[in-house]
Amino acid sequence: MDIALLASGSSGNAVLVRSGGSAFLVDAGLSGREVTARLDSIDVSPSELLGIVLTHEHTDHIRGVGPLARRFGLPVWTNRATLEAGSATLGKLPHWVEVTMSVPFEIGDIWLEPFSIPHDAADPFGLTLKSTQGYHVGLATDMGFVTQLVRARLQGLNGLILEFNHDLPMLLDGPYPWSIKQRIRGKLGHLNNKDAAGLLGEVASPDLEWVICAHMSQQNNNKEIVVTEAKSALNGLLSMPSSASLHVATQAEPTPLFGQGDRRNLPGTLEVEELN
Ligand SMILES: [Zn+2]
Ligand SMILES: [Zn+2]
């Protein structure tokens, strides 16, 4: 199983998952045309896709879902509340497959397990993905705080895509109106760096090979702070392996494909690869 974030942040999110001969997207929050261009840049054709999983109906996750689904005849996996809340944006879909929280489902040879996350959408979810070989990846962005369920679901992973949305002091001192600041930092908003790093420290195990810090705010965060926070969370762990690689996803371009063995290590250190 290989995974790439085609884009990440409040202007659009899309994740490509590829395994064996099959591939699918989790969210498509860029225009259909832009998703297609970014897939092309990593040599994936949309005609190879088996479908799109939609985690929630916010624009930065849903924008391209309807156009791509219609153009390529793709099924969309999501729960009923998200389908209903997103219906105006989605338009008519060729095929909807219902997702039920905490009930695993299969796309190609990947098992996906959705879990509820606290966020101001109809019924948002994070995911764990498991290949037939047992390679295990977690995806959790767009969450206001860390619940026991999230903590439990993200244990023992090989790869983790985790929201590092904002630096709290930058958000509070920044230019956004107070109501927006309250929304972002609220229980149904987005995860700040400290909370994300705290969670990372709790769930990291010797099996963890890579971490992608995702959904970073362009206004209220920067890559240096994210790297510092994430690194200190991992470096503080006695149980950590010799290394794990740490990456920060951006809005501007896709990440490389991450998969088994992508632990680019120097013994005893955390290898940090900063993209662009
Ligand atoms: Zn989002
Ligand atoms: Zn959202």
Side-chain angles (χ1 to χ4, degrees), residues 238-252:
L238 293 172
S239 62
M240 266 314 278
S242 54
S243 73
S245 62
L246 178 67
H247 299 254
V248 181
T250 67
Q251 199 73 78

Side-chain angles (χ1 to χ4, degrees), residues 56 58 60-61 119-120 142 183 190 215:
H56 65 294
H58 287 163
D60 59 318
H61 297 259
H119 189 54
D120 53 358
D142 297 77
R183 190 232 143 201
H190 289 276
H215 217 302

Side-chain angles (χ1 to χ4, degrees), residues 60-224:
D60 59 318
H61 297 259
I62 203 175
R63 189 182 285 119
V65 172
L68 287 166
R70 283 185 287 279
R71 172 132 192 240
F72 299 101
L74 303 176
V76 174
W77 279 260
T78 194
N79 54 39
R80 182 175 291 278
T82 303
L83 181 78
E84 287 171 1
S87 62
T89 315
L90 287 170
K92 192 166 164 42
L93 296 176
H95 186 50
W96 166 52
V97 188
E98 185 167 8
V99 168
T100 305
M101 282 313 91
S102 295
V103 177
F105 58 99
E106 201 175 11
I107 305 180
D109 60 358
I110 304 290
W111 277 97
L112 299 92
E113 191 165 347
F115 55 89
S116 289
I117 50 173
H119 189 54
D120 53 358
D123 194 5
F125 58 90
L127 286 165
T128 55
L129 304 103
K130 206 170 207 171
S131 73
T132 42
Q133 291 80 30
Y135 201 67
H136 198 190
V137 173
L139 168 63
T141 68
D142 297 77
M143 40 182 195
F145 68 105
V146 178
T147 64
Q148 285 298 358
L149 177 64
V150 168
R151 201 173 275 122
R153 291 301 168 87
L154 299 183
Q155 299 286 339
L157 299 170
N158 303 116
L160 172 60
I161 300 158
L162 180 62
E163 170 164 60
F164 278 72
N165 179 260
H166 60 277
D167 174 66
L168 191 54
M170 278 180 80
L171 174 70
L172 296 179
D173 295 340
Y176 285 4
W178 188 244
S179 58
I180 307 270
K181 291 181 182 179
Q182 289 291 64
R183 190 232 143 201
I184 293 172
R185 68 175 297 202
K187 289 260 182 203
L188 299 178
H190 289 276
L191 208 59
N192 69 50
N193 294 337
K194 292 259 183 247
D195 290 348
L199 175 60
L200 177 57
E202 286 181 88
V203 301
S205 78
D207 295 327
L208 188 66
E209 298 183 337
W210 50 265
V211 178
I212 302 177
C213 304
H215 217 302
M216 182 179 71
S217 166
Q218 289 175 292
Q219 186 70 53
N220 303 304
N221 211 350
N222 67 58
K223 212 183 275 184
E224 289 68 35

Side-chain angles (χ1 to χ4, degrees), residues 32-56:
R33 191 182 299 257
E34 184 63 23
V35 171
T36 304
R38 292 192 183 209
L39 284 172
D40 189 52
S41 76
I42 55 170
D43 294 322
V44 175
S45 160
S47 59
E48 294 171 47
L49 297 175
L50 296 177
I52 306 171
V53 181
L54 177 60
T55 63
H56 65 294

